[in-house]
Amino acid sequence: MKNIVVCVDLREESLKVLQSLKDRIDLSGSTVHLVHVFEIKMGLMEFTPVVYPVPSQYEEIESSIMGFLDNLKRDLGLKDNQVEKHCFFSQSKEQKIKEYLEDKKADMVILSTRGKHGIEGFFASSLADFLCKYSPCDMLVMRPR
């Protein structure tokens, strides 16, 4: 049985791309991990350190994200016994995904890109770029149409 990790970005265009996955790849007989990493932001506001989200907000955020993951599971036609859903909070989503892939001994990671081009794409660091360099498994990168 294969371990397939799907990195879920909650942007509408990204979710649409991932929904088309059921027509492109046979997921039957695989364990599919639907994973979202909520990035913890730190900064200064008027010389006061600010962290978002704070731990007291995690439960509410996680509940909302699990709703998105449930909808994606349904759209992909996956059964409850073949899906693991996870929401993580981390300062580095790239590192958290890499560690998760290593821990689960993933056979493949699937993610969608935002499809940035030109100057915007040149300066934007992305999860896809990071995983192209450091992923411990095969990758499928899906782009918006």
Side-chain angles (χ1 to χ4, degrees):
M1 181 178 286
K2 288 189 172 189
N3 270 327
I4 298 175
V5 176
V6 180
C7 297
V8 181
D9 182 344
L10 300 180
R11 291 182 183 92
E12 185 177 344
E13 63 274 5
S14 183
L15 287 170
K16 284 182 183 178
V17 170
L18 290 175
Q19 288 167 349
S20 70
L21 187 59
K22 70 178 179 183
D23 301 325
R24 297 176 183 210
I25 218 170
D26 181 15
L27 297 172
S28 62
S30 299
T31 300
V32 179
H33 304 258
L34 301 177
V35 177
H36 177 77
V37 179
F38 197 100
E39 200 159 12
I40 299 170
K41 304 286 184 186
M42 299 175 134
L44 288 175
M45 183 178 290
E46 297 178 10
F47 303 107
T48 304
V50 177
V51 176
Y52 178 80
V54 294
S56 63
Q57 296 171 310
Y58 288 7
E59 186 176 333
E60 182 180 347
I61 292 169
E62 183 176 11
S63 174
S64 178
I65 290 171
M66 286 302 181
F68 281 98
L69 299 182
D70 280 333
N71 289 339
L72 182 59
K73 178 190 81 165
R74 186 192 66 236
D75 293 342
L76 294 176
L78 299 170
K79 299 174 184 153
D80 287 338
N81 64 347
Q82 82 178 110
V83 176
E84 287 187 31
K85 298 175 296 190
H86 298 283
C87 172
F88 298 110
F89 294 86
S90 177
Q91 292 178 11
S92 171
K93 67 181 174 186
E94 294 86 359
Q95 196 61 38
K96 184 64 180 175
I97 293 291
K98 181 179 178 266
E99 290 170 4
Y100 187 82
L101 294 172
E102 291 168 348
D103 289 346
K104 295 295 181 176
K105 296 180 176 48
D107 297 302
M108 177 183 281
V109 59
I110 300 171
L111 64 145
S112 66
T113 64
R114 290 181 258 168
K116 291 186 176 184
H117 301 288
I119 298 293
E120 186 179 34
F122 181 75
F123 289 108
S125 175
S126 72
L127 177 61
D129 292 335
F130 178 84
L131 290 178
C132 280
K133 294 175 188 170
Y134 302 108
S135 175
C137 60
D138 293 336
M139 272 183 71
L140 173 61
V141 179
M142 302 175 71
R143 297 182 68 189
R145 295 177 191 232

